[in-house]
Amino acid sequence: LQVLSCVELEGNIVRLVGNMTQLTRIGITNVKERDERGLCASIQKMKLLYYLYLLVNNEQEFLRIEALASPPGPPTHLQGLLLSGKLAAVPSWFGSLKNLTDISLRWSRLEEDVLPHMEALPCLRRLILVNAYLGNELCFQMGFAKLTHLELLNFPKLKNITIQGVMPS
């Protein structure tokens, strides 16, 4: 099996998907905080994975995925990443996603500015942020060399967006 478009995380599914080492795409819904270690361990076994979609059960639930930072790290071929759920912090492993072309953060509600963690991603072409940041200013000052598509939606506290000499594409 190479594509598992959508599977609901319940019971021993978290362990079973880890045995699907040929997956190139996976979407997982109903992710809960308690699933972090098992889920991240299963994802790390998917060496061919190029698209990952994770969705929490409700918008108050935290999406815990920091365990992907532990060796061997996130899948190296990852090109598409969609995270839907509250994040406590920007995952430390974001900067290692050198092949990432498409990222979407939905309902992350980060207090920390996410842009410095993404601006240097060399292949990033598409960035979609939906209620991903709770600050009142976003400042694009560096990077985003290949970005061709930018969507910023539903930022309740955002008052100012500054774009200075970036995003040539």
Side-chain angles (χ1 to χ4, degrees):
L1 189 64
Q2 293 180 336
V3 176
L4 185 56
S5 293
C6 188
V7 63
E8 185 173 341
L9 198 58
E10 60 179 45
N12 65 349
I13 292 291
V14 71
R15 184 182 51 78
L16 294 174
V17 295
N19 295 328
M20 299 178 182
T21 57
Q22 298 302 303
L23 285 175
T24 58
R25 275 179 91 95
I26 189 168
I28 303 173
T29 65
N30 197 32
V31 176
K32 298 203 174 17
E33 293 179 52
R34 67 175 181 259
D35 298 322
E36 179 185 11
R37 295 241 180 259
L39 177 62
C40 290
S42 288
I43 291 169
Q44 287 176 326
K45 291 178 186 176
M46 300 173 195
K47 306 289 186 205
L48 304 177
L49 199 64
Y50 71 87
Y51 183 83
L52 175 63
Y53 170 66
L54 299 175
L55 172 68
V56 296
N57 188 33
N58 67 63
E59 63 181 61
Q60 298 308 316
E61 185 94 35
F62 276 92
L63 179 58
R64 304 276 185 203
I65 49 174
E66 189 55 38
L68 275 177
S70 62
T76 56
H77 300 293
L78 210 55
Q79 293 176 13
L81 179 64
L82 192 154
L83 302 177
S84 188
K86 226 169 147 180
L87 293 173
V90 177
S92 63
W93 46 268
F94 264 23
S96 70
L97 302 175
K98 301 300 180 200
N99 294 311
L100 198 66
T101 60
D102 190 335
I103 189 164
S104 181
L105 297 181
R106 299 172 187 265
W107 309 104
S108 304
R109 296 182 302 239
L110 289 159
E111 292 183 16
E112 169 188 10
D113 188 354
V114 70
L115 297 179
H117 300 273
M118 297 180 186
E119 63 192 11
L121 294 174
C123 298
L124 191 62
R125 294 187 190 297
R126 183 177 173 96
L127 175 60
I128 300 172
L129 302 175
V130 180
N131 197 0
Y133 177 55
L134 295 177
N136 49 8
E137 182 173 9
L138 274 177
C139 190
F140 293 84
Q141 291 184 337
M142 299 177 62
F144 299 103
K146 293 190 177 179
L147 198 68
T148 58
H149 183 99
L150 175 64
E151 286 184 44
L152 303 172
L153 304 163
N154 195 6
F155 285 75
K157 297 182 181 179
L158 191 63
K159 293 182 179 18
N160 190 33
I161 299 172
T162 305
I163 300 174
Q164 299 176 336
V166 295
M167 297 184 263
S169 298

